[in-house]
PDB file of all heavy atoms in Angstrom:
ATOM      1  N   LEU A 362     -35.850 -17.452  22.972  1.00 90.00           N
ATOM      2  CA  LEU A 362     -35.139 -18.648  23.357  1.00 90.00           C
ATOM      3  C   LEU A 362     -34.006 -18.302  24.246  1.00 90.00           C
ATOM      4  O   LEU A 362     -33.829 -18.945  25.312  1.00 90.00           O
ATOM      5  CB  LEU A 362     -34.548 -19.389  22.045  1.00 90.00           C
ATOM      6  CG  LEU A 362     -33.555 -20.532  22.376  1.00 90.00           C
ATOM      7  CD1 LEU A 362     -34.245 -21.614  23.091  1.00 90.00           C
ATOM      8  CD2 LEU A 362     -33.048 -21.040  21.067  1.00 90.00           C
ATOM      9  N   ARG A 366     -37.300 -15.744  30.405  1.00 79.00           N
ATOM     10  CA  ARG A 366     -37.578 -16.515  31.596  1.00 79.00           C
ATOM     11  C   ARG A 366     -37.243 -15.614  32.785  1.00 79.00           C
ATOM     12  O   ARG A 366     -36.597 -14.588  32.751  1.00 79.00           O
ATOM     13  CB  ARG A 366     -36.652 -17.776  31.669  1.00 79.00           C
ATOM     14  CG  ARG A 366     -35.134 -17.469  31.578  1.00 79.00           C
ATOM     15  CD  ARG A 366     -34.401 -18.830  31.378  1.00 79.00           C
ATOM     16  NE  ARG A 366     -34.796 -19.519  30.101  1.00 79.00           N
ATOM     17  CZ  ARG A 366     -34.317 -19.210  28.890  1.00 79.00           C
ATOM     18  NH1 ARG A 366     -33.448 -18.227  28.758  1.00 79.00           N
ATOM     19  NH2 ARG A 366     -34.680 -19.819  27.865  1.00 79.00           N
ATOM     20  N   LEU A 498     -44.973 -27.626  18.061  1.00 90.00           N
ATOM     21  CA  LEU A 498     -44.375 -28.064  19.287  1.00 90.00           C
ATOM     22  C   LEU A 498     -44.696 -27.170  20.453  1.00 90.00           C
ATOM     23  O   LEU A 498     -44.500 -27.573  21.614  1.00 90.00           O
ATOM     24  CB  LEU A 498     -42.889 -28.167  19.180  1.00 90.00           C
ATOM     25  CG  LEU A 498     -42.288 -29.183  18.030  1.00 90.00           C
ATOM     26  CD1 LEU A 498     -40.711 -28.976  17.877  1.00 90.00           C
ATOM     27  CD2 LEU A 498     -42.689 -30.521  18.351  1.00 90.00           C
ATOM     28  N   GLY A 499     -45.046 -25.917  20.213  1.00 87.00           N
ATOM     29  CA  GLY A 499     -45.356 -24.950  21.193  1.00 87.00           C
ATOM     30  C   GLY A 499     -44.073 -24.154  21.618  1.00 87.00           C
ATOM     31  O   GLY A 499     -43.140 -24.119  20.848  1.00 87.00           O
ATOM     32  N   LEU A 500     -44.173 -23.553  22.882  1.00 85.00           N
ATOM     33  CA  LEU A 500     -43.100 -22.605  23.315  1.00 85.00           C
ATOM     34  C   LEU A 500     -42.356 -23.094  24.547  1.00 85.00           C
ATOM     35  O   LEU A 500     -41.869 -22.250  25.229  1.00 85.00           O
ATOM     36  CB  LEU A 500     -43.776 -21.218  23.491  1.00 85.00           C
ATOM     37  CG  LEU A 500     -44.274 -20.557  22.277  1.00 85.00           C
ATOM     38  CD1 LEU A 500     -44.964 -19.163  22.638  1.00 85.00           C
ATOM     39  CD2 LEU A 500     -43.281 -20.316  21.200  1.00 85.00           C
ATOM     40  N   SER A 501     -42.433 -24.372  24.897  1.00 88.00           N
ATOM     41  CA  SER A 501     -41.501 -24.817  25.987  1.00 88.00           C
ATOM     42  C   SER A 501     -40.075 -24.610  25.523  1.00 88.00           C
ATOM     43  O   SER A 501     -39.727 -24.427  24.355  1.00 88.00           O
ATOM     44  CB  SER A 501     -41.855 -26.275  26.263  1.00 88.00           C
ATOM     45  OG  SER A 501     -41.345 -27.057  25.191  1.00 88.00           O
ATOM     46  N   LEU A 502     -39.131 -24.695  26.525  1.00 86.00           N
ATOM     47  CA  LEU A 502     -37.769 -24.444  26.249  1.00 86.00           C
ATOM     48  C   LEU A 502     -37.254 -25.550  25.251  1.00 86.00           C
ATOM     49  O   LEU A 502     -36.555 -25.142  24.266  1.00 86.00           O
ATOM     50  CB  LEU A 502     -36.965 -24.579  27.551  1.00 86.00           C
ATOM     51  CG  LEU A 502     -35.487 -24.354  27.366  1.00 86.00           C
ATOM     52  CD1 LEU A 502     -35.124 -22.966  26.758  1.00 86.00           C
ATOM     53  CD2 LEU A 502     -34.774 -24.505  28.763  1.00 86.00           C
ATOM     54  N   VAL A 503     -37.616 -26.768  25.475  1.00 90.00           N
ATOM     55  CA  VAL A 503     -37.151 -27.844  24.549  1.00 90.00           C
ATOM     56  C   VAL A 503     -37.683 -27.568  23.160  1.00 90.00           C
ATOM     57  O   VAL A 503     -37.108 -27.735  22.107  1.00 90.00           O
ATOM     58  CB  VAL A 503     -37.596 -29.179  25.097  1.00 90.00           C
ATOM     59  CG1 VAL A 503     -37.293 -30.299  24.044  1.00 90.00           C
ATOM     60  CG2 VAL A 503     -36.856 -29.458  26.432  1.00 90.00           C
ATOM     61  N   ALA A 504     -38.988 -27.213  23.106  1.00 91.00           N
ATOM     62  CA  ALA A 504     -39.629 -26.885  21.796  1.00 91.00           C
ATOM     63  C   ALA A 504     -38.957 -25.770  21.064  1.00 91.00           C
ATOM     64  O   ALA A 504     -38.780 -25.823  19.866  1.00 91.00           O
ATOM     65  CB  ALA A 504     -41.129 -26.613  22.016  1.00 91.00           C
ATOM     66  N   GLN A 505     -38.666 -24.696  21.799  1.00 91.00           N
ATOM     67  CA  GLN A 505     -38.000 -23.609  21.186  1.00 91.00           C
ATOM     68  C   GLN A 505     -36.507 -23.957  20.679  1.00 91.00           C
ATOM     69  O   GLN A 505     -36.196 -23.531  19.602  1.00 91.00           O
ATOM     70  CB  GLN A 505     -37.801 -22.404  22.187  1.00 91.00           C
ATOM     71  CG  GLN A 505     -39.128 -21.765  22.518  1.00 91.00           C
ATOM     72  CD  GLN A 505     -38.887 -20.580  23.389  1.00 91.00           C
ATOM     73  OE1 GLN A 505     -38.309 -19.562  23.116  1.00 91.00           O
ATOM     74  NE2 GLN A 505     -39.332 -20.746  24.682  1.00 91.00           N
ATOM     75  N   LEU A 506     -35.914 -24.723  21.551  1.00 91.00           N
ATOM     76  CA  LEU A 506     -34.507 -25.223  21.027  1.00 91.00           C
ATOM     77  C   LEU A 506     -34.612 -26.027  19.768  1.00 91.00           C
ATOM     78  O   LEU A 506     -33.856 -25.925  18.886  1.00 91.00           O
ATOM     79  CB  LEU A 506     -33.922 -26.132  22.090  1.00 91.00           C
ATOM     80  CG  LEU A 506     -33.250 -25.422  23.288  1.00 91.00           C
ATOM     81  CD1 LEU A 506     -32.887 -26.440  24.429  1.00 91.00           C
ATOM     82  CD2 LEU A 506     -31.972 -24.703  22.887  1.00 91.00           C
ATOM     83  N   LEU A 507     -35.598 -26.811  19.675  1.00 94.00           N
ATOM     84  CA  LEU A 507     -35.855 -27.672  18.505  1.00 94.00           C
ATOM     85  C   LEU A 507     -36.210 -26.865  17.262  1.00 94.00           C
ATOM     86  O   LEU A 507     -35.641 -26.971  16.192  1.00 94.00           O
ATOM     87  CB  LEU A 507     -36.926 -28.777  18.684  1.00 94.00           C
ATOM     88  CG  LEU A 507     -36.432 -29.977  19.545  1.00 94.00           C
ATOM     89  CD1 LEU A 507     -37.621 -30.865  19.922  1.00 94.00           C
ATOM     90  CD2 LEU A 507     -35.239 -30.802  18.928  1.00 94.00           C
ATOM     91  N   SER A 508     -37.193 -26.002  17.426  1.00 94.00           N
ATOM     92  CA  SER A 508     -37.716 -25.249  16.292  1.00 94.00           C
ATOM     93  C   SER A 508     -36.578 -24.240  15.783  1.00 94.00           C
ATOM     94  O   SER A 508     -36.427 -24.167  14.511  1.00 94.00           O
ATOM     95  CB  SER A 508     -38.897 -24.478  16.661  1.00 94.00           C
ATOM     96  OG  SER A 508     -38.766 -23.620  17.731  1.00 94.00           O
ATOM     97  N   VAL A 509     -36.001 -23.529  16.650  1.00 93.00           N
ATOM     98  CA  VAL A 509     -34.925 -22.587  16.178  1.00 93.00           C
ATOM     99  C   VAL A 509     -33.729 -23.335  15.781  1.00 93.00           C
ATOM    100  O   VAL A 509     -33.179 -23.033  14.693  1.00 93.00           O
ATOM    101  CB  VAL A 509     -34.628 -21.619  17.404  1.00 93.00           C
ATOM    102  CG1 VAL A 509     -33.500 -20.698  16.960  1.00 93.00           C
ATOM    103  CG2 VAL A 509     -35.855 -20.737  17.688  1.00 93.00           C
ATOM    104  N   GLY A 510     -33.298 -24.349  16.503  1.00 92.00           N
ATOM    105  CA  GLY A 510     -32.131 -25.062  16.058  1.00 92.00           C
ATOM    106  C   GLY A 510     -32.211 -25.787  14.762  1.00 92.00           C
ATOM    107  O   GLY A 510     -31.282 -25.699  13.948  1.00 92.00           O
TER     108      GLY A 510
END
Side-chain angles (χ1 to χ4, degrees):
L362 171 62
R366 57 191 59 85
L498 300 176
L500 295 178
S501 68
L502 179 59
V503 174
Q505 290 184 71
L506 280 169
L507 285 173
S508 59
V509 174

